[in-house]
Amino acid sequence: MTPQNMSILNLVLQASWVVQLVMLLLLSVSIASWAAIFRKLFALKRVKSLNEDFEREFWSGTSLNDLFASAAQNAKNAGPMERIFASGMREYQKLRERRITDPGTLLDGARRAMRASFQREMDVVESSLSFLASVGSVSPYVGLFGTVWGIMHAFTGFAGMEQITLATVAPGIAEALVATAIGLFSAIPAVIAYNRFARDIDRVATHLETFIEEFSNILQRNLGAQPSQSASGH
């Protein structure tokens, strides 16, 4: 290969089949990781918007029963915070229907229901993070494997040569190094996205946990003020 033909495309085409396979794998992983990044970006944006909308309505003075009725009707399009609220209210009302009047039992039941719903919501929000973490940690090593294999293949081809110059060595090594470059190209965006999403998800989790505590306090006040009536306001 002449210096004029040492473009990235020619280097890829001239590489051994093992190195080409590694490059194809890394490119496929890179495309999949970018798709996961955009999906997660839009999903987190939607989660934040839905949580903010519900929290605004929650603190607007609307009664808890009206909020619960609205959440039940809007279950498919509700955000995590609204579903957590609905889980707590549903358990609270079920316990009241069973003639349970002990405030501690009612509050504990609502808390446990909200905690279970919180875990389910966080499992959904955290989806794809493990994939991005795997891409970020494994891709460089896969690229390095392609590079090592390519260099071994290149030096095997030099075994029968009597005179080896930089011009004869450079193309084979360059072909192999492309695999490392593609591995880094796959890993770097995945690592950056993972760190960004992990930080955003921590904020969402903190926001939801704060809401659970605030809603629990509201239920506790209602139980203390009106132990024989359903929660109707806050």
Side-chain angles (χ1 to χ4, degrees):
M1 185 182 296
T2 63
Q4 291 77 13
N5 293 330
M6 287 182 62
S7 64
I8 298 296
L9 180 59
N10 285 329
L11 290 173
V12 172
L13 294 175
Q14 294 295 326
S16 67
W17 69 270
V18 174
V19 178
Q20 288 180 341
L21 186 62
V22 168
M23 293 176 183
L24 180 61
L25 175 63
L26 289 172
L27 285 174
S28 300
V29 168
S30 179
I31 293 171
S33 67
W34 276 107
I37 288 170
F38 282 112
R39 282 198 306 270
K40 182 58 64 180
L41 190 65
F42 290 123
L44 284 177
K45 185 176 181 181
R46 183 173 182 272
V47 165
K48 292 177 185 177
S49 177
L50 290 173
N51 284 347
E52 289 173 358
D53 290 343
F54 175 75
E55 191 172 27
R56 194 179 302 112
E57 185 178 3
F58 181 83
W59 293 111
S60 66
T62 307
S63 71
L64 297 180
N65 289 330
D66 290 343
L67 285 172
F68 178 59
S70 176
Q73 294 176 354
N74 193 41
K76 292 183 178 180
N77 299 320
M81 185 177 290
E82 189 170 1
R83 285 193 288 265
I84 289 172
F85 163 80
S87 297
M89 279 296 294
R90 188 180 301 111
E91 184 65 18
Y92 175 86
Q93 292 189 350
K94 284 181 179 178
L95 293 174
R96 294 301 295 263
E97 290 171 358
R98 295 176 184 173
R99 306 292 184 180
I100 295 176
T101 58
D102 178 57
T105 303
L106 291 169
L107 187 60
D108 185 59
R111 274 179 174 274
R112 283 189 284 106
M114 287 190 289
R115 279 291 168 186
S117 180
F118 170 80
Q119 291 299 329
R120 289 194 298 269
E121 295 298 334
M122 292 309 301
D123 287 342
V124 174
V125 172
E126 292 174 352
S127 62
S128 300
L129 272 191
S130 59
F131 172 71
L132 292 177
S134 297
V135 172
S137 60
V138 174
S139 291
Y141 294 103
V142 176
L144 184 61
F145 166 76
T147 296
V148 171
W149 186 278
I151 291 176
M152 289 171 55
H153 178 75
F155 276 98
T156 301
F158 302 148
M161 296 183 181
E162 296 182 356
Q163 184 177 5
I164 299 176
T165 63
L166 182 60
T168 57
V169 174
I173 295 178
E175 293 167 8
L177 289 175
V178 172
T180 296
I182 296 177
L184 294 175
F185 176 79
S186 301
I188 292 173
V191 171
I192 294 174
Y194 174 85
N195 291 333
R196 161 74 185 277
F197 293 149
R199 184 174 66 252
D200 291 345
I201 290 172
D202 284 343
R203 291 175 180 171
V204 170
T206 301
H207 196 189
L208 294 177
E209 288 178 334
T210 301
F211 171 78
I212 290 174
E213 293 302 318
E214 291 173 338
F215 182 43
S216 298
N217 291 336
I218 290 170
L219 288 179
Q220 188 172 25
R221 286 199 301 270
N222 286 341
L223 288 168
Q226 301 175 346
S228 61
Q229 300 179 12
S230 298
S232 59
H234 56 286

Short mmCIF file of all heavy atoms in Angstrom, two decimals, residues 28-79:
data_model
loop_
_atom_site.label_atom_id
_atom_site.label_comp_id
_atom_site.label_asym_id
_atom_site.label_seq_id
_atom_site.Cartn_x
_atom_site.Cartn_y
_atom_site.Cartn_z
N SER A 28 -20.96 -1.67 15.11
CA SER A 28 -22.34 -2.06 15.46
C SER A 28 -22.66 -1.65 16.89
O SER A 28 -23.74 -1.12 17.19
CB SER A 28 -22.52 -3.56 15.30
OG SER A 28 -22.27 -3.97 13.96
N VAL A 29 -21.70 -1.88 17.80
CA VAL A 29 -21.88 -1.50 19.20
C VAL A 29 -22.00 0.02 19.33
O VAL A 29 -22.81 0.53 20.12
CB VAL A 29 -20.72 -2.04 20.05
CG1 VAL A 29 -20.74 -1.42 21.44
CG2 VAL A 29 -20.80 -3.55 20.15
N SER A 30 -21.21 0.74 18.54
CA SER A 30 -21.26 2.20 18.59
C SER A 30 -22.63 2.72 18.16
O SER A 30 -23.21 3.60 18.79
CB SER A 30 -20.17 2.79 17.70
OG SER A 30 -20.22 4.20 17.71
N ILE A 31 -23.16 2.14 17.09
CA ILE A 31 -24.49 2.55 16.61
C ILE A 31 -25.55 2.25 17.67
O ILE A 31 -26.43 3.07 17.95
CB ILE A 31 -24.82 1.85 15.28
CG1 ILE A 31 -23.89 2.35 14.17
CG2 ILE A 31 -26.28 2.08 14.89
CD1 ILE A 31 -23.99 1.57 12.88
N ALA A 32 -25.45 1.05 18.27
CA ALA A 32 -26.42 0.68 19.30
C ALA A 32 -26.32 1.59 20.52
O ALA A 32 -27.34 1.96 21.12
CB ALA A 32 -26.19 -0.77 19.72
N SER A 33 -25.10 1.97 20.88
CA SER A 33 -24.94 2.84 22.05
C SER A 33 -25.47 4.24 21.78
O SER A 33 -26.09 4.85 22.66
CB SER A 33 -23.46 2.92 22.46
OG SER A 33 -22.69 3.58 21.48
N TRP A 34 -25.27 4.75 20.55
CA TRP A 34 -25.83 6.07 20.22
C TRP A 34 -27.35 6.02 20.23
O TRP A 34 -28.01 6.98 20.68
CB TRP A 34 -25.32 6.52 18.86
CG TRP A 34 -23.99 7.20 18.92
CD1 TRP A 34 -22.79 6.70 18.50
CD2 TRP A 34 -23.71 8.50 19.44
NE1 TRP A 34 -21.78 7.60 18.72
CE2 TRP A 34 -22.32 8.72 19.30
CE3 TRP A 34 -24.49 9.49 20.02
CZ2 TRP A 34 -21.71 9.90 19.72
CZ3 TRP A 34 -23.88 10.68 20.44
CH2 TRP A 34 -22.51 10.86 20.29
N ALA A 35 -27.93 4.93 19.75
CA ALA A 35 -29.39 4.78 19.80
C ALA A 35 -29.87 4.77 21.25
O ALA A 35 -30.87 5.42 21.60
CB ALA A 35 -29.82 3.50 19.09
N ALA A 36 -29.14 4.05 22.12
CA ALA A 36 -29.51 4.01 23.54
C ALA A 36 -29.35 5.38 24.18
O ALA A 36 -30.16 5.77 25.03
CB ALA A 36 -28.64 2.98 24.26
N ILE A 37 -28.33 6.12 23.79
CA ILE A 37 -28.10 7.46 24.35
C ILE A 37 -29.26 8.38 24.01
O ILE A 37 -29.80 9.09 24.89
CB ILE A 37 -26.78 8.04 23.82
CG1 ILE A 37 -25.59 7.32 24.46
CG2 ILE A 37 -26.69 9.54 24.10
CD1 ILE A 37 -24.25 7.65 23.84
N PHE A 38 -29.70 8.39 22.76
CA PHE A 38 -30.79 9.28 22.37
C PHE A 38 -32.11 8.86 23.02
O PHE A 38 -32.91 9.70 23.44
CB PHE A 38 -30.92 9.33 20.85
CG PHE A 38 -29.90 10.20 20.19
CD1 PHE A 38 -28.90 9.65 19.39
CD2 PHE A 38 -29.91 11.57 20.37
CE1 PHE A 38 -27.96 10.45 18.78
CE2 PHE A 38 -28.96 12.39 19.77
CZ PHE A 38 -27.98 11.84 18.97
N ARG A 39 -32.35 7.53 23.10
CA ARG A 39 -33.57 7.06 23.77
C ARG A 39 -33.58 7.50 25.22
O ARG A 39 -34.61 7.97 25.74
CB ARG A 39 -33.67 5.53 23.67
CG ARG A 39 -34.14 5.01 22.33
CD ARG A 39 -34.63 3.57 22.46
NE ARG A 39 -33.65 2.70 23.08
CZ ARG A 39 -32.72 2.02 22.41
NH1 ARG A 39 -32.65 2.11 21.09
NH2 ARG A 39 -31.87 1.24 23.05
N LYS A 40 -32.47 7.32 25.91
CA LYS A 40 -32.41 7.68 27.32
C LYS A 40 -32.51 9.19 27.51
O LYS A 40 -33.13 9.66 28.48
CB LYS A 40 -31.10 7.16 27.92
CG LYS A 40 -30.92 7.44 29.41
CD LYS A 40 -32.05 6.86 30.23
CE LYS A 40 -32.08 5.37 30.14
NZ LYS A 40 -33.18 4.78 30.94
N LEU A 41 -31.93 9.95 26.59
CA LEU A 41 -31.99 11.41 26.68
C LEU A 41 -33.43 11.90 26.62
O LEU A 41 -33.88 12.70 27.45
CB LEU A 41 -31.16 12.02 25.54
CG LEU A 41 -30.91 13.53 25.59
CD1 LEU A 41 -30.05 13.87 26.79
CD2 LEU A 41 -30.23 13.99 24.31
N PHE A 42 -34.18 11.40 25.65
CA PHE A 42 -35.59 11.80 25.51
C PHE A 42 -36.44 11.24 26.66
O PHE A 42 -37.36 11.92 27.14
CB PHE A 42 -36.14 11.34 24.17
CG PHE A 42 -35.56 12.08 23.00
CD1 PHE A 42 -34.93 11.39 21.97
CD2 PHE A 42 -35.62 13.46 22.92
CE1 PHE A 42 -34.39 12.07 20.88
CE2 PHE A 42 -35.08 14.15 21.85
CZ PHE A 42 -34.46 13.45 20.82
N ALA A 43 -36.12 10.02 27.11
CA ALA A 43 -36.89 9.41 28.20
C ALA A 43 -36.72 10.19 29.50
O ALA A 43 -37.71 10.46 30.22
CB ALA A 43 -36.47 7.96 28.40
N LEU A 44 -35.50 10.60 29.82
CA LEU A 44 -35.26 11.36 31.05
C LEU A 44 -35.90 12.74 30.97
O LEU A 44 -36.42 13.25 31.97
CB LEU A 44 -33.76 11.48 31.31
CG LEU A 44 -33.07 10.23 31.85
CD1 LEU A 44 -31.58 10.47 31.99
CD2 LEU A 44 -33.67 9.83 33.19
N LYS A 45 -35.86 13.33 29.79
CA LYS A 45 -36.50 14.64 29.62
C LYS A 45 -38.00 14.53 29.86
O LYS A 45 -38.61 15.39 30.51
CB LYS A 45 -36.21 15.16 28.21
CG LYS A 45 -36.73 16.57 27.96
CD LYS A 45 -36.34 17.06 26.59
CE LYS A 45 -36.86 18.47 26.35
NZ LYS A 45 -36.50 18.97 24.98
N ARG A 46 -38.60 13.45 29.37
CA ARG A 46 -40.04 13.24 29.56
C ARG A 46 -40.36 12.98 31.04
O ARG A 46 -41.34 13.50 31.57
CB ARG A 46 -40.51 12.05 28.72
CG ARG A 46 -42.01 11.80 28.79
CD ARG A 46 -42.41 10.73 27.79
NE ARG A 46 -43.85 10.51 27.83
CZ ARG A 46 -44.47 9.66 28.64
NH1 ARG A 46 -43.74 8.93 29.47
NH2 ARG A 46 -45.77 9.52 28.62
N VAL A 47 -39.52 12.17 31.69
CA VAL A 47 -39.73 11.89 33.12
C VAL A 47 -39.68 13.18 33.93
O VAL A 47 -40.56 13.42 34.80
CB VAL A 47 -38.67 10.89 33.62
CG1 VAL A 47 -38.62 10.88 35.15
CG2 VAL A 47 -38.96 9.50 33.10
N LYS A 48 -38.72 14.02 33.69
CA LYS A 48 -38.60 15.28 34.43
C LYS A 48 -39.81 16.17 34.19
O LYS A 48 -40.35 16.78 35.13
CB LYS A 48 -37.32 16.02 34.00
CG LYS A 48 -36.04 15.33 34.43
CD LYS A 48 -34.83 16.10 33.89
CE LYS A 48 -33.53 15.37 34.20
NZ LYS A 48 -32.35 16.08 33.62
N SER A 49 -40.25 16.24 32.94
CA SER A 49 -41.40 17.08 32.60
C SER A 49 -42.68 16.59 33.29
O SER A 49 -43.43 17.37 33.88
CB SER A 49 -41.58 17.11 31.09
OG SER A 49 -42.73 17.86 30.72
N LEU A 50 -42.91 15.27 33.24
CA LEU A 50 -44.11 14.70 33.86
C LEU A 50 -44.08 14.86 35.38
O LEU A 50 -45.11 15.16 36.00
CB LEU A 50 -44.24 13.22 33.49
CG LEU A 50 -44.60 12.92 32.04
CD1 LEU A 50 -44.52 11.42 31.77
CD2 LEU A 50 -45.99 13.45 31.69
N ASN A 51 -42.92 14.67 35.98
CA ASN A 51 -42.81 14.83 37.43
C ASN A 51 -43.08 16.27 37.85
O ASN A 51 -43.77 16.54 38.84
CB ASN A 51 -41.42 14.41 37.91
CG ASN A 51 -41.25 12.90 37.95
OD1 ASN A 51 -42.22 12.15 37.86
ND2 ASN A 51 -40.02 12.46 38.08
N GLU A 52 -42.52 17.21 37.09
CA GLU A 52 -42.72 18.63 37.41
C GLU A 52 -44.19 19.02 37.25
O GLU A 52 -44.73 19.78 38.08
CB GLU A 52 -41.83 19.50 36.52
CG GLU A 52 -40.35 19.40 36.86
CD GLU A 52 -39.48 20.13 35.86
OE1 GLU A 52 -40.04 20.68 34.88
OE2 GLU A 52 -38.25 20.15 36.05
N ASP A 53 -44.84 18.51 36.21
CA ASP A 53 -46.26 18.83 35.99
C ASP A 53 -47.11 18.31 37.13
O ASP A 53 -48.00 19.00 37.63
CB ASP A 53 -46.74 18.24 34.66
CG ASP A 53 -46.13 18.94 33.46
OD1 ASP A 53 -45.61 20.06 33.63
OD2 ASP A 53 -46.19 18.36 32.36
N PHE A 54 -46.86 17.05 37.55
CA PHE A 54 -47.67 16.48 38.63
C PHE A 54 -47.38 17.19 39.95
O PHE A 54 -48.31 17.46 40.73
CB PHE A 54 -47.40 14.99 38.77
CG PHE A 54 -48.10 14.38 39.95
CD1 PHE A 54 -49.47 14.14 39.90
CD2 PHE A 54 -47.42 14.08 41.11
CE1 PHE A 54 -50.13 13.59 40.97
CE2 PHE A 54 -48.08 13.54 42.20
CZ PHE A 54 -49.44 13.30 42.13
N GLU A 55 -46.12 17.47 40.22
CA GLU A 55 -45.78 18.14 41.48
C GLU A 55 -46.43 19.52 41.56
O GLU A 55 -46.91 19.94 42.62
CB GLU A 55 -44.27 18.25 41.62
CG GLU A 55 -43.83 18.69 43.01
CD GLU A 55 -42.33 18.62 43.19
OE1 GLU A 55 -41.62 18.74 42.18
OE2 GLU A 55 -41.87 18.44 44.33
N ARG A 56 -46.48 20.21 40.43
CA ARG A 56 -47.14 21.51 40.40
C ARG A 56 -48.63 21.37 40.72
O ARG A 56 -49.19 22.17 41.49
CB ARG A 56 -46.95 22.13 39.01
CG ARG A 56 -47.30 23.61 38.94
CD ARG A 56 -47.07 24.16 37.55
NE ARG A 56 -45.69 23.96 37.12
CZ ARG A 56 -45.31 23.14 36.14
NH1 ARG A 56 -46.22 22.45 35.48
NH2 ARG A 56 -44.06 23.03 35.81
N GLU A 57 -49.26 20.34 40.16
CA GLU A 57 -50.67 20.11 40.43
C GLU A 57 -50.88 19.64 41.87
O GLU A 57 -51.87 20.03 42.52
CB GLU A 57 -51.21 19.06 39.46
CG GLU A 57 -52.71 18.84 39.58
CD GLU A 57 -53.22 17.82 38.57
OE1 GLU A 57 -52.38 17.25 37.82
OE2 GLU A 57 -54.44 17.61 38.51
N PHE A 58 -49.95 18.84 42.38
CA PHE A 58 -50.06 18.30 43.74
C PHE A 58 -50.07 19.43 44.77
O PHE A 58 -50.84 19.41 45.74
CB PHE A 58 -48.90 17.35 44.00
CG PHE A 58 -48.91 16.72 45.37
CD1 PHE A 58 -49.69 15.60 45.62
CD2 PHE A 58 -48.14 17.24 46.40
CE1 PHE A 58 -49.70 15.01 46.87
CE2 PHE A 58 -48.15 16.66 47.65
CZ PHE A 58 -48.93 15.54 47.90
N TRP A 59 -49.21 20.41 44.57
CA TRP A 59 -49.11 21.51 45.52
C TRP A 59 -50.03 22.68 45.20
O TRP A 59 -49.95 23.72 45.84
CB TRP A 59 -47.67 22.01 45.59
CG TRP A 59 -46.72 21.00 46.18
CD1 TRP A 59 -45.73 20.33 45.54
CD2 TRP A 59 -46.69 20.55 47.53
NE1 TRP A 59 -45.08 19.48 46.38
CE2 TRP A 59 -45.65 19.60 47.63
CE3 TRP A 59 -47.44 20.85 48.68
CZ2 TRP A 59 -45.34 18.95 48.81
CZ3 TRP A 59 -47.12 20.19 49.86
CH2 TRP A 59 -46.08 19.26 49.92
N SER A 60 -50.89 22.50 44.21
CA SER A 60 -51.81 23.59 43.84
C SER A 60 -53.02 23.67 44.76
O SER A 60 -53.81 24.61 44.66
CB SER A 60 -52.29 23.40 42.39
OG SER A 60 -53.09 22.23 42.27
N GLY A 61 -53.19 22.68 45.64
CA GLY A 61 -54.32 22.67 46.55
C GLY A 61 -55.41 21.69 46.17
O GLY A 61 -56.42 21.60 46.87
N THR A 62 -55.23 20.96 45.08
CA THR A 62 -56.20 19.95 44.68
C THR A 62 -56.27 18.86 45.74
O THR A 62 -55.25 18.46 46.29
CB THR A 62 -55.82 19.34 43.32
OG1 THR A 62 -55.63 20.38 42.37
CG2 THR A 62 -56.91 18.40 42.83
N SER A 63 -57.46 18.36 46.02
CA SER A 63 -57.62 17.33 47.05
C SER A 63 -56.93 16.04 46.62
O SER A 63 -56.79 15.75 45.42
CB SER A 63 -59.10 17.06 47.33
OG SER A 63 -59.69 16.39 46.24
N LEU A 64 -56.52 15.26 47.59
CA LEU A 64 -55.84 13.99 47.31
C LEU A 64 -56.75 13.03 46.56
O LEU A 64 -56.29 12.29 45.68
CB LEU A 64 -55.36 13.36 48.61
CG LEU A 64 -54.33 14.14 49.42
CD1 LEU A 64 -53.97 13.38 50.68
CD2 LEU A 64 -53.08 14.40 48.59
N ASN A 65 -58.03 13.02 46.90
CA ASN A 65 -58.96 12.12 46.21
C ASN A 65 -59.10 12.49 44.75
O ASN A 65 -59.18 11.62 43.88
CB ASN A 65 -60.33 12.16 46.90
CG ASN A 65 -60.29 11.46 48.26
OD1 ASN A 65 -59.52 10.53 48.46
ND2 ASN A 65 -61.11 11.94 49.19
N ASP A 66 -59.15 13.79 44.46
CA ASP A 66 -59.24 14.22 43.06
C ASP A 66 -57.96 13.89 42.30
O ASP A 66 -58.01 13.47 41.14
CB ASP A 66 -59.50 15.73 42.98
CG ASP A 66 -60.91 16.09 43.45
OD1 ASP A 66 -61.76 15.18 43.51
OD2 ASP A 66 -61.15 17.28 43.76
N LEU A 67 -56.83 14.06 42.95
CA LEU A 67 -55.56 13.72 42.32
C LEU A 67 -55.48 12.22 42.04
O LEU A 67 -54.99 11.79 41.00
CB LEU A 67 -54.39 14.14 43.21
CG LEU A 67 -54.05 15.62 43.27
CD1 LEU A 67 -53.01 15.88 44.35
CD2 LEU A 67 -53.54 16.11 41.93
N PHE A 68 -55.97 11.42 42.98
CA PHE A 68 -55.95 9.97 42.81
C PHE A 68 -56.86 9.54 41.68
O PHE A 68 -56.51 8.66 40.88
CB PHE A 68 -56.36 9.29 44.11
CG PHE A 68 -56.41 7.80 44.01
CD1 PHE A 68 -55.27 7.07 43.66
CD2 PHE A 68 -57.57 7.09 44.26
CE1 PHE A 68 -55.30 5.69 43.57
CE2 PHE A 68 -57.62 5.71 44.17
CZ PHE A 68 -56.48 5.01 43.83
N ALA A 69 -58.03 10.15 41.58
CA ALA A 69 -58.96 9.83 40.49
C ALA A 69 -58.34 10.19 39.14
O ALA A 69 -58.44 9.43 38.17
CB ALA A 69 -60.27 10.57 40.68
N SER A 70 -57.66 11.33 39.08
CA SER A 70 -57.00 11.75 37.84
C SER A 70 -55.86 10.81 37.49
O SER A 70 -55.66 10.45 36.33
CB SER A 70 -56.49 13.18 37.99
OG SER A 70 -55.76 13.58 36.85
N ALA A 71 -55.09 10.38 38.51
CA ALA A 71 -53.97 9.47 38.27
C ALA A 71 -54.45 8.12 37.78
O ALA A 71 -53.81 7.49 36.94
CB ALA A 71 -53.15 9.31 39.56
N ALA A 72 -55.60 7.66 38.31
CA ALA A 72 -56.14 6.37 37.88
C ALA A 72 -56.59 6.42 36.42
O ALA A 72 -56.41 5.46 35.67
CB ALA A 72 -57.31 5.97 38.77
N GLN A 73 -57.15 7.54 36.00
CA GLN A 73 -57.59 7.69 34.61
C GLN A 73 -56.42 7.87 33.66
O GLN A 73 -56.49 7.48 32.50
CB GLN A 73 -58.54 8.89 34.50
CG GLN A 73 -59.86 8.71 35.24
CD GLN A 73 -60.72 9.95 35.16
OE1 GLN A 73 -60.31 11.00 34.66
NE2 GLN A 73 -61.94 9.84 35.68
N ASN A 74 -55.33 8.46 34.18
CA ASN A 74 -54.18 8.79 33.33
C ASN A 74 -53.01 7.85 33.57
O ASN A 74 -51.85 8.22 33.41
CB ASN A 74 -53.76 10.25 33.61
CG ASN A 74 -52.79 10.78 32.57
OD1 ASN A 74 -52.95 10.53 31.38
ND2 ASN A 74 -51.78 11.50 33.02
N ALA A 75 -53.30 6.60 33.97
CA ALA A 75 -52.25 5.67 34.39
C ALA A 75 -51.22 5.41 33.29
O ALA A 75 -50.02 5.33 33.55
CB ALA A 75 -52.87 4.36 34.85
N LYS A 76 -51.66 5.28 32.04
CA LYS A 76 -50.75 4.93 30.95
C LYS A 76 -49.78 6.06 30.63
O LYS A 76 -48.64 5.81 30.22
CB LYS A 76 -51.54 4.55 29.70
CG LYS A 76 -52.32 3.25 29.83
CD LYS A 76 -53.02 2.89 28.54
CE LYS A 76 -53.77 1.57 28.66
NZ LYS A 76 -54.46 1.20 27.40
N ASN A 77 -50.22 7.29 30.79
CA ASN A 77 -49.38 8.45 30.42
C ASN A 77 -48.80 9.16 31.63
O ASN A 77 -48.21 10.23 31.48
CB ASN A 77 -50.21 9.44 29.59
CG ASN A 77 -50.71 8.83 28.30
OD1 ASN A 77 -49.99 8.09 27.64
ND2 ASN A 77 -51.95 9.13 27.93
N ALA A 78 -48.97 8.58 32.81
CA ALA A 78 -48.50 9.23 34.02
C ALA A 78 -46.98 9.10 34.15
O ALA A 78 -46.36 8.19 33.59
CB ALA A 78 -49.19 8.63 35.24
N GLY A 79 -46.40 10.02 34.91
CA GLY A 79 -44.97 9.96 35.19
C GLY A 79 -44.71 9.15 36.45
O GLY A 79 -45.63 8.73 37.16
#
